Amino acid sequence: MNVLKKTLLSILLGGMAGAACYAPAMAQSNMEDQQNDPLLKIYRASATKVNDLVHTKLDVRFDYAKRYMYGKAWITLKPHFYPTDSLTLDAKGMDIKQVAVVKGGKNSTLKYAYDGMELHIKLDKTYQNTDSYIIYIDYTSKPNELKVKGSAAINDAKGLYFINPDGTEPNKPIQIWTQGETEASSVWFPTIDKNNQKTTDEISMTVDKKYVTLSNGVLASQKNNADGTRTDTWKMDLPHAPYLFMMAIGDFAVVKDKWRGKEVNYYVEHAYEPYAKSIFGNTPEMLTFYSTALGYDYAWPKYSQVVVRDYVSGAMENTTATLHGDFLQKNNRELLDDNKQGESVIAHELFHQWFGDLATCESWSNLTLNESFADYSEYLWFEHKYGKDMADDHNYKSAQNYIQFSQYAGDRDLVRFHYHDKEDMFDAVSYQKGGRILNMLRNYVGDDAFFKSLNLYLKTNAFKATEAHQLRLAFEEVTGKDLNWFFYPWYFGQGFPLLDINYAYNDAAKTVSVILKQTQTTGKIFQLPLAIDVYNGSKKERHLVTMSDAADTFTFSYDKKPEFVNVDADKVILATKTDHRDINTYIFQFAHAPLYMDRREAIDACLKQQTSNADARKVVAAALKDKFHGLRVLTINGLKLDNADVKAATLSTLENLAKSDENALVRAAALQQLGKLKDVKYTSLLETATKDSSYAAAGAALVGLSELDMDKAYKLAKQMESTAKGALSASIGDVYAKKGDKNDIAFFAKSFEDAANGQPKFEAAIQYLKILNDVDNTAAVTKGIDQIKAMADQFKNNMVYNYLVSMMTPIAQQKQQKADGSNGAVKEELTKQSTHIKEVIQELKASAAGSDN
């Protein structure tokens, strides 16, 4: 599961005025709430296995008008160990019509009790664990009538979703799809909905002939029926957990690919068929890379990916059939601005086919065995395909996301046997922190041992359920090292070190001492193996040390005083560092230390002194030409062009970057900086750049041009409006907002309507609200506010609710103030708008109060 809303969380935190000031207080409040939460007292054990699933056969058809699914299930089971005469199945919100045991091809009715969530069946006899039996159930799934709760990661849990089933939304396709994680598969078929169960399956779907179907395994047969329907039967002959079952039905274009003779297909809306290979085309190479790196070939019979509308999360790694939200559908111009983030989602879900689908966490407490690996797979793919700089950039941002999360929400154990709700496991600890821990472990044991250990773990636990100790044991068997010292603080604890770094040079003794202190106030001390590089000119000497105490000093000899001592030279330790050294060491570091983080640290330090230190300014000028585009963007965004010296040192390079840098995001950043100068000499350059192939670059140029010639920019915006997407659409919105023509409200409404779920929808909502503030048309304002409220209800996240409250409140107040200064019909209409917005604000507040996310 890729949690798209982790990005939204970062945006919200970054957008909160003074967030850094009160985040620790909020974390303290969260921790106090946790201490008083009775649900946190419950030990979340792995589910007890009384019966084991063996095979699941389903025959389903759909009632679009009622949003029902009519199902028949044949479930083969056997007692796990002890004899039993009863069976409990998860079956949420169903109508149960018949329960029977199948013997000799005949159904014998069984007694059962059903409470709307669990089906308790009295078997016809006591079965031994050498016996198997088949239970038949005739049922109706009614997902829209079920009251269930999701999480920040998976914001709904009704399992089966009918999208635009009546066809009343003209710009939205009719679709059906499922979402099983964590325990929502049991909304659409009876099962033992626990992740330590594994079963083969066969699913027959009867659908209108015009629709395409997708499920786990291979398409075994298709049968046309006399009533204009078709029955597709999908078979999965390898066992997998029930939460990984899936169905998708819709009018998809299917773009076919191959990997080692296996089908690799991409299911997209027809409008995106020309771009499917651009979006997904690296999938076969990913399959080869991961299979080779792990020494364990992709195990499943096919791999398909499908994009659906209104998805309740980012993406889901259903076995052989990953489901993606529509944020992934982009044309080639949008992909230029994507910075490979869509590709990271594709890599993430694919890696789950090993870590999560093949070897599955036995409980949600052990979610790290699924999600930390999938998170880290993004790093592995970027490193392989685009180089270590790209991977390290991703690593740094992921670490910052986790640290930011811990400051806002409080920290928690990676392996967590106490939680309020299983859905709470899907957070920045399970994802980003866990991925960074794997990066540290890889660095410590070395690449050969790391991947050999993963291979052993997979071979030992294939088609089984696992816990974190099994990962540790695999690493210990391969390396011959006891690794409890690593696993217990990082996997079975929380927090991270705060490192204070000082240096003491003794020229008489020709030694340098590195003084390290862990300053976290938790009392927990981390054992930290790390590399320290001592630089003498272009030469460096590496020292491998281990920090074991709250304060440690490491002393190294030198012939000549070092220009730079690089602590944590591999840049892998998950920590916040306070490094007490002067600017000259950073200037040296930029030129001589090779890694992305070395250069980033140096750039950050030199940007702070760009106006006062000539040598730091030279580093900034050089960083504009860094080999990695992300550092060029960082440097561009940090330039203080209102300083004459900085401007003189960087402007020529900045102009060239704006015109011809190979990376779209660099061009966009450079154009944005030039636009801020409001210098008429850039009018022609900016106008030309509005035709850039990148939406981001064209949009930045358009906004810059509007500062110089609003009429020209507005005219160009009108010309580009119909084909604009992504960043260009947002920039057109900026120009329209500045122009202040209330007739442009239709553009904002359409942009919001067309935006993909997740971050794009949220950003479009913010723009929409800004223009609604200035619009006096009651129907337009009411419609817009209601649309944004509907978006918030889909997110089901209290940060979203609260953020929107903070934005809507001054709008309501301003509308009322305008009403108080008006008369007649104008006063009445403005009062209506203010009243409606206030009502929505109260609804948002109530929703936030009822949300734990």
Side-chain angles (χ1 to χ4, degrees), residues 182-434:
T182 51
E183 295 176 8
S185 285
S186 49
V187 177
W188 62 277
F189 67 96
T191 187
I192 304 175
D193 206 352
K194 300 295 182 283
N195 39 343
N196 59 0
Q197 291 281 342
K198 299 234 171 176
T199 172
T200 56
D201 73 77
E202 177 180 324
I203 302 178
S204 296
M205 290 175 266
T206 298
V207 300
D208 192 291
K209 285 181 181 178
K210 66 184 176 182
Y211 293 131
V212 171
T213 70
L214 177 64
S215 189
N216 314 99
V218 297
L219 182 59
S221 67
Q222 290 187 300
K223 176 188 173 185
N224 288 321
N225 304 313
D227 62 356
T229 64
R230 188 186 71 250
T231 300
D232 291 355
T233 299
W234 293 82
K235 287 187 177 181
M236 167 62 93
D237 292 332
L238 296 171
H240 61 138
Y243 79 88
L244 296 166
F245 281 39
M246 74 84 68
M247 299 185 298
I249 300 106
D251 182 19
F252 300 108
V254 183
V255 178
K256 297 188 175 183
D257 217 336
K258 288 276 188 184
W259 180 76
R260 296 184 184 175
K262 295 183 178 183
E263 283 191 5
V264 176
N265 294 337
Y266 318 127
Y267 293 64
V268 296
E269 294 176 31
H270 288 278
Y272 288 91
E273 184 175 6
Y275 313 113
K277 286 285 183 77
S278 298
I279 299 166
F280 294 108
N282 282 332
T283 302
E285 185 181 343
M286 289 179 186
L287 283 160
T288 298
F289 168 61
Y290 289 145
S291 294
T292 303
L294 296 169
Y296 197 112
D297 282 354
Y298 178 79
W300 311 101
K302 70 120 176 5
Y303 189 60
S304 293
Q305 297 173 84
V306 57
V307 178
V308 301
R309 289 290 188 99
D310 294 351
Y311 186 47
V312 293
S313 187
M316 180 62 208
E317 66 274 11
N318 309 298
T319 316
T320 76
T322 286
L323 191 148
H324 294 282
D326 64 341
F327 71 94
L328 208 63
Q329 287 186 144
K330 294 181 178 178
N331 64 32
N332 288 338
R333 291 186 70 185
E334 289 176 284
L335 288 170
L336 289 174
D337 304 331
D338 181 58
N339 204 25
K340 308 301 179 187
Q341 289 311 298
E343 201 166 304
S344 75
V345 175
I346 293 167
H348 178 116
E349 304 307 330
L350 176 56
F351 207 66
H352 267 309
Q353 301 293 319
W354 286 267
F355 292 90
D357 296 11
L358 182 65
T360 308
C361 64
E362 70 174 11
S363 68
W364 300 117
S365 295
N366 283 275
L367 182 63
T368 179
L369 294 172
N370 292 15
E371 294 301 349
S372 299
F373 276 101
D375 183 275
Y376 189 53
S377 75
E378 301 168 26
Y379 180 98
L380 294 174
W381 171 249
F382 282 164
E383 182 183 40
H384 164 78
K385 183 67 175 176
Y386 303 108
K388 187 166 171 55
D389 281 351
M390 183 76 168
D392 286 347
D393 177 69
H394 192 69
N395 188 72
Y396 169 78
K397 290 171 181 174
S398 294
Q400 294 308 302
N401 281 343
Y402 155 66
I403 290 170
Q404 195 173 48
F405 169 86
S406 69
Q407 290 173 337
Y408 168 76
D411 214 339
R412 53 214 68 184
D413 295 351
L414 181 58
V415 178
R416 218 172 305 161
F417 292 104
H418 296 271
Y419 49 71
H420 176 85
D421 188 284
K422 61 187 179 299
E423 308 296 338
D424 299 339
M425 290 298 302
F426 294 80
D427 59 17
V429 177
S430 294
Y431 286 75
Q432 290 99 321
K433 183 181 185 182

Side-chain angles (χ1 to χ4, degrees), residues 779-816:
V781 171
T782 301
K783 176 186 175 184
I785 293 294
D786 288 346
Q787 285 178 303
I788 292 167
K789 167 67 164 53
M791 176 205 72
D793 289 337
Q794 189 172 31
F795 275 118
K796 292 184 173 67
N797 182 289
N798 65 354
M799 289 186 69
V800 173
Y801 289 132
N802 290 330
Y803 196 91
L804 292 176
V805 166
S806 71
M807 289 204 68
M808 288 186 185
T809 299
I811 297 175
Q813 292 170 345
Q814 187 168 323
K815 296 279 187 187
Q816 190 59 56

Side-chain angles (χ1 to χ4, degrees), residues 69-121:
M69 186 192 82
Y70 304 113
K72 300 179 189 298
W74 294 263
I75 308 167
T76 305
L77 306 104
K78 56 176 290 194
H80 180 73
F81 184 79
Y82 299 105
T84 185
D85 64 355
S86 63
L87 167 67
T88 297
L89 295 174
D90 298 293
K92 299 182 176 75
M94 298 178 178
D95 285 342
I96 304 295
K97 299 176 182 177
Q98 183 183 8
V99 177
V101 63
V102 181
K103 291 197 169 182
K106 295 183 178 179
N107 294 339
S108 297
T109 300
L110 297 175
K111 293 181 179 179
Y112 66 89
Y114 181 51
D115 62 5
M117 298 298 282
E118 290 184 331
L119 184 61
H120 301 278
I121 302 170

